[in-house]
Amino acid sequence: MTSESNIVFQNVFTFYSAEACYVPPSVVPYVPASEGLSTGSILLLIFFPTLIIYFLLGIILNKLGGANGKELIPNYEFWNSLPGLIADGVMYSWSILTCQGTKGATGYDSI
């Protein structure tokens, strides 16, 4: 009778991944993830010039209309109330997230 207890099994796994193991920089050259501008960069490049043009044209048109001082700012009432509206939105969102928004408030007046 032969003894089979001397048999050894060996499994060898080899994984190649730049994300998991260190690869010397000389082996794998750096390749940028993408070429050109990102989506966020493009949106910012559209948003800020549009905002500047909006204010400049609004000020020019309001000046031609005879406005002075704060009245030169286009839609001054909106821009003046914007910080308060943002604060209201943050407080409302916080009250909903902390489950404080529905305590005793039905939204209707009692008769």
Side-chain angles (χ1 to χ4, degrees):
M1 209 169 169
T2 61
S3 172
E4 303 255 345
S5 62
N6 292 337
I7 297 176
V8 177
F9 292 100
Q10 182 178 7
N11 294 322
V12 177
F13 295 99
T14 305
F15 295 99
Y16 297 100
S17 172
E19 289 79 22
C21 300
Y22 174 73
V23 177
S26 61
V27 175
V28 179
Y30 172 74
V31 178
S34 65
E35 298 287 328
L37 297 173
S38 67
T39 303
S41 299
I42 293 170
L43 290 175
L44 290 174
L45 287 171
I46 292 171
F47 176 75
F48 283 112
T50 303
L51 190 67
I52 291 170
I53 291 170
Y54 165 78
F55 276 107
L56 289 177
L57 286 177
I59 289 171
I60 291 170
L61 290 175
N62 285 341
K63 185 67 174 176
L64 293 175
N68 292 318
K70 293 179 184 176
E71 297 171 351
L72 286 174
I73 300 172
N75 296 312
Y76 173 74
E77 294 82 16
F78 167 76
W79 293 110
N80 190 37
S81 65
L82 186 62
L85 293 172
I86 292 172
D88 289 345
V90 169
M91 289 186 332
Y92 174 75
S93 298
W94 182 254
S95 69
I96 294 299
L97 289 172
T98 58
C99 299
Q100 298 172 0
T102 58
K103 288 184 179 178
T106 60
Y108 295 104
D109 292 332
S110 60
I111 298 177

